[in-house]
Amino acid sequence: MVCSALRRVVCVYICLARKASHAYRSYQHQAWGSRPPTAECAAQGVSGSVIELLGKSYPQDDYSNLSRKVLSRVGRNLHNQQHHPLWLIKERVKEHFYKQYMGRSRTPLFSVYDSLSPVVTTWQNFDSLLIPADHPSRKKGDNYYLNRTHMLRAHTSAHQWDLLHAGLDAFLVVGDVYRRDQIDSQHYPVFHQLEGVRLFSKHELFAGIKDGESLQLFEQSSRSGHKQETHTMEATKLIEFDLKQTLTRLVTHLFGDGLEIRWVECYFPFTHPSFEMEINFHGEWLEVLGCGVMEQQLVNSAGAQDRIGWAFGLGLERLAMILYDIPDIRLFWSEDERFLKQFHVSDINQKVKFQPLSKYPAVTNDISFWLPSENYAENDFYDLVRTIGGDLVEKVDLIDTFEHPKAELLVGIN
C-alpha cells in the first residue's frame, strides 16, 4: 500500500433561525433546508440491487456511485420554481429569444424544453456528442452513474441528438446537470445549464448575401483551426458571425449596454471552431458561456445532412451569481424565505442585489484518516463530506500530503 497524508480545512458558517416554531441550522447568509432521503434516494448500492428514481428502476453494478445527497436533489428543478433566481435567469433568456427571433408565421422560432429527465444513457451523454471512449470526461470519478449504461446527465448537450433527430432546428434546453466536483463557493455537484441550438439550410444562411445563390455549405477539404473539413469557409464564417451576434445580443440584454466582450478560442468535442465568451464585469474578465459551430458528423447522424448549425451552453448559477451578487453557490438550494423573498419581483428584468442574512464567522476543522490504496478518487471524499455535512460545509482544501516511508499506508489528515 502507498502512504499519503491529507489535511483539509472544512469551513462551516452556522447561525440559528426560527420559522414556524422549528429550528433550522444555517451557514453564512441563510438557513439551509434539505429534504430527508426517500426510498427513491438510496445511497450507493451494491451490484445486484436496484435503485428507484423518478418512477423507474435501474439495476446497480460496479459503476453505480450515486450518493444520498445528490439523489435528494433530483427532481427539485430549481429552474422551474417561480421567482427562484435561476428561474428568473431562465425566463429572461427565454423572453429574449421569443421576442428577437420569430418564425415565418410570427411565432417564436426557438422552442424551449425545460422538463426533460436528467437520467440519460451514456450514449446520449457521450457517444452522441462524439466524445471518444477514452476521453477523461467519462471517468467514474467525475460523473454520477446509475450503472454502466445510465447516468445523471453531465450537460444539457445530452439531449442535442434526440431533438435534432426529431426534426427540430432551433431550440433551448434547460435543466439540472450533475458532476462530481470539489467543495468551495463556486462548485456544487448539481447545477443548471441552458443549451441553445440553431440549424440553417443553404437558403436560410445565404439569404440576403450578394451572389448567395452561388455559395455552398459543404465541400471536401482538410480540417484547419478555422473550419471543419466538410464546411466551406464562407458558410463557417457566416455561422460564426450569426452565433457571436446572437450571444452578444443575449448578454447585452442581461447585463445592459456598453458591455465589453471578448472571444477566446477553445476546444469542445462536439463543436469546431469553438469559443468561450468573456465579459468585463466590474473590471474583471469573467467566462460566461461556451459555444461553437456544430460538428457536421453529429448533425449528419441526427438526420439533418443538408444543414449546418451552431450551439452554445451557459450555466444559470454563473449568471445569477454575477447579476445578483450571490457569493456562494449553495445559496440556490436554500429554502429560507429571507433568501427567496429577495427575488419575488413583479418584473423579471428588475435589478436585484442579494442582501446577506448572517454575520457569523467560519468554523475551521482539521481531520485525519487512512485512505485506501486502490480505487480512491478525491471526489469520493467530497461526496462523503457532502453526504454527512450537507450544505453546512463551505469549503474543503488539501493542505499537505505525506507518504510513510516504511509502513506504506495511506493516511489522510483533514
Side-chain angles (χ1 to χ4, degrees):
M1 299 176 68
V2 179
C3 179
S4 162
L6 292 175
R7 186 183 181 196
R8 304 174 188 273
V9 178
V10 182
C11 298
V12 184
Y13 286 87
I14 302 176
C15 70
L16 297 178
R18 283 195 170 275
K19 179 182 175 186
S21 300
H22 294 282
Y24 290 80
R25 285 189 297 177
S26 170
Y27 97 97
Q28 192 179 14
H29 297 308
Q30 58 27 275
W32 287 87
S34 60
R35 298 186 305 173
T38 66
E40 292 189 76
C41 298
Q44 294 188 43
V46 296
S47 181
S49 61
V50 174
I51 186 169
E52 301 286 336
L53 183 62
L54 300 177
K56 294 185 178 182
S57 300
Y58 300 91
Q60 296 187 285
D61 56 27
D62 60 328
Y63 251 61
S64 305
N65 64 349
L66 297 176
S67 66
R68 288 193 301 269
K69 177 67 176 180
V70 168
L71 283 172
S72 71
R73 299 310 196 203
V74 178
R76 288 285 297 275
N77 296 327
L78 300 183
H79 61 289
N80 288 335
Q81 294 182 18
Q82 192 170 13
H83 297 299
H84 191 279
L86 299 183
W87 176 85
L88 289 177
I89 298 294
K90 182 196 75 171
E91 291 299 307
R92 292 186 66 187
V93 174
K94 188 170 72 172
E95 177 191 64
H96 172 77
F97 275 90
Y98 278 178
K99 289 183 176 180
Q100 289 291 319
Y101 307 97
M102 307 295 290
R104 294 178 182 176
S105 59
R106 303 306 299 167
T107 57
L109 178 65
F110 284 81
S111 52
V112 178
Y113 298 87
D114 57 10
S115 299
L116 299 175
S117 172
V119 179
V120 298
T121 65
T122 52
W123 186 90
Q124 288 174 299
N125 199 80
F126 299 119
D127 301 272
S128 73
L129 297 168
L130 311 179
I131 298 175
D134 60 350
H135 196 274
S137 66
R138 291 178 179 253
K139 289 192 304 183
K140 181 180 175 181
D142 291 338
N143 299 284
Y144 288 105
Y145 286 90
L146 279 76
N147 51 43
R148 283 185 173 269
T149 60
H150 289 82
M151 63 186 298
L152 296 178
R153 63 189 168 208
H155 41 211
T156 47
S157 304
H159 302 287
Q160 265 189 29
W161 191 93
D162 293 311
L163 295 174
L164 291 172
H165 190 64
L168 299 176
D169 55 13
F171 55 84
L172 304 176
V173 180
V174 194
D176 45 340
V177 298
Y178 300 78
R179 297 181 192 172
R180 304 182 75 191
D181 216 332
Q182 63 200 71
I183 298 177
D184 59 36
S185 62
Q186 302 294 316
H187 296 87
Y188 200 76
V190 191
F191 57 103
H192 298 74
Q193 282 188 341
L194 187 147
E195 181 103 0
V197 169
R198 186 175 183 186
L199 299 185
F200 295 82
S201 65
K202 175 183 174 180
H203 171 75
E204 290 169 332
L205 187 61
F206 296 131
I209 302 297
K210 184 178 180 181
D211 298 324
E213 64 275 3
S214 65
L215 300 176
Q216 301 297 322
L217 295 178
F218 307 109
E219 67 178 11
Q220 287 301 322
S221 60
S222 59
R223 176 175 289 240
S224 70
H226 302 290
K227 74 176 204 68
Q228 298 174 38
E229 61 273 20
T230 57
H231 294 163
T232 64
M233 185 59 75
E234 294 84 359
T236 299
K237 289 304 179 183
L238 282 173
I239 286 288
E240 182 181 325
F241 175 80
D242 187 84
L243 169 62
K244 291 181 176 180
Q245 185 181 61
T246 298
L247 295 176
T248 298
R249 287 173 177 167
L250 172 62
V251 296
T252 300
H253 168 70
L254 294 174
F255 290 91
D257 294 326
L259 190 67
E260 190 178 358
I261 295 171
R262 69 184 183 189
W263 299 93
V264 180
E265 293 185 1
C266 62
Y267 167 78
F268 299 115
F270 35 87
T271 57
H272 181 75
S274 303
F275 311 94
E276 288 178 344
M277 174 195 275
E278 296 183 351
I279 63 171
N280 192 333
F281 191 72
H282 296 329
E284 182 181 1
W285 284 103
L286 304 173
E287 183 262 313
V288 292
L289 58 84
C291 62
V293 179
M294 296 182 70
E295 283 285 354
Q296 197 60 36
Q297 183 182 343
L298 189 163
V299 177
N300 291 348
S301 68
Q305 297 91 334
D306 61 337
R307 294 174 180 255
I308 184 174
W310 51 248
F312 74 87
L314 56 83
L316 295 184
E317 280 89 347
R318 177 69 165 163
L319 289 180
M321 292 175 80
I322 297 172
L323 283 167
Y324 303 138
D325 202 20
I326 298 175
D328 197 303
I329 196 170
R330 294 170 299 163
L331 281 162
F332 294 107
W333 296 93
S334 173
E335 295 178 346
D336 190 334
E337 282 300 312
R338 294 174 300 166
F339 172 73
L340 296 174
K341 280 185 176 179
Q342 296 187 38
F343 303 94
H344 279 247
V345 293
S346 57
D347 181 356
I348 60 174
N349 294 305
Q350 181 177 328
K351 290 186 177 180
V352 178
K353 181 177 174 59
F354 169 72
Q355 299 300 317
L357 306 177
S358 175
K359 60 183 179 181
Y360 291 91
V363 176
T364 301
N365 291 306
D366 295 344
I367 63 174
S368 63
F369 52 89
W370 294 99
L371 295 175
S373 59
E374 298 178 347
N375 300 322
Y376 171 77
E378 198 165 299
N379 283 333
D380 294 335
F381 179 75
Y382 295 146
D383 273 349
L384 180 64
V385 171
R386 284 190 169 110
T387 297
I388 297 174
D391 288 330
L392 290 174
V393 181
E394 178 192 4
K395 188 176 183 180
V396 175
D397 283 333
L398 173 64
I399 304 300
D400 197 8
T401 60
F402 169 74
E403 182 175 339
H404 195 287
K406 294 183 179 180
E408 294 188 346
L409 297 175
L410 201 60
V411 181
I413 302 175
N414 267 41

